[in-house]
Amino acid sequence: MYKRQLHSKGIELVEPSDLAGSIRGKSSVYDQMELLIKTSEESIIIMTTEQGLLDKIETFRKPLQKAHERGVTIRIIAPMTPLAQEKAAELADIADVRFSDEIKARFIISDSKEIVFMLMDDVNVHPSYDVGIWLNTPFFTSAMVALFSMTFGTLKPVIVKN
């Protein structure tokens, strides 16, 4: 049966470079993350550190705002500190930000298809030596979305001060 399908439908060759890549340096990683934000159509998921949250709010505020205006759902998990909570409140109108001190990870997922994840803690690595991996694989990424979603639902949201 599979042989008949192969002959009747053919195969689609996939270039490995279309599926994955390594990225060196914080600025290059952020360039790839910005591309994901700008091309997202449905959802953006971000898990980051306290410093990563502060950096991302400063760097990606406008692209995230534009994504929100396109109807993209934005969810973020980061550690809770007074400064992080204060800054995260700035995103309350465009993103659902939740806090977790238990999980340490750095990644962004776009539309359950593409992910950029960093290999090291940004506290312990110089920005020029930071390394990210970009994957375009709905199979792996959808599993990460499921794990994120299970955790996200159990976390406390940002408290917006009036």
Side-chain angles (χ1 to χ4, degrees):
M1 171 153 165
Y2 292 113
K3 284 185 177 183
R4 279 188 261 146
Q5 286 181 345
L6 177 63
H7 290 292
S8 64
K9 294 182 179 181
I11 61 170
E12 186 176 320
L13 295 177
V14 177
E15 287 291 323
S17 61
D18 293 339
L19 298 177
S22 65
I23 309 162
R24 178 169 221 140
K26 180 179 176 179
S27 64
S28 296
V29 169
Y30 272 38
D31 287 345
Q32 185 66 31
M33 293 173 82
E34 185 171 11
L35 179 64
L36 292 185
I37 292 168
K38 287 181 174 181
T39 59
S40 291
E41 297 174 356
E42 298 172 8
S43 65
I44 296 169
I45 288 175
I46 298 172
M47 181 171 272
T48 190
T49 61
E50 175 192 12
Q51 187 58 50
L53 178 66
L54 300 175
D55 291 348
K56 285 169 187 64
I57 290 170
E58 182 179 322
T59 305
F60 301 131
R61 174 79 166 120
K62 287 181 183 176
L64 288 170
Q65 176 69 42
K66 288 181 180 180
H68 172 74
E69 290 168 3
R70 290 193 313 271
V72 175
T73 302
I74 303 166
R75 297 185 296 166
I76 301 170
I77 296 176
M80 181 164 70
T81 64
L83 180 57
Q85 186 167 348
E86 178 184 324
K87 288 295 190 178
E90 295 176 17
L91 296 178
D93 59 330
I94 63 169
D96 189 351
V97 183
R98 308 270 174 112
F99 290 113
S100 174
D101 292 325
E102 298 173 9
I103 303 170
K104 303 228 184 282
R106 299 169 55 215
F107 61 82
I108 181 171
I109 299 173
S110 170
D111 295 335
S112 300
K113 296 176 186 172
E114 293 183 66
I115 184 171
V116 173
F117 62 92
M118 280 54 71
L119 302 178
M120 294 172 271
D121 187 343
D122 56 357
V123 172
N124 300 321
V125 66
H126 188 276
S128 62
Y129 292 108
D130 206 0
V131 176
I133 304 294
W134 165 78
L135 299 173
N136 181 2
T137 168
F139 174 74
F140 176 74
T141 306
S142 63
M144 292 295 293
V145 169
L147 293 170
F148 179 94
S149 296
M150 286 189 306
T151 302
F152 191 80
T154 67
L155 299 174
K156 190 169 141 179
V158 170
I159 299 169
V160 180
K161 297 177 183 177
N162 294 332

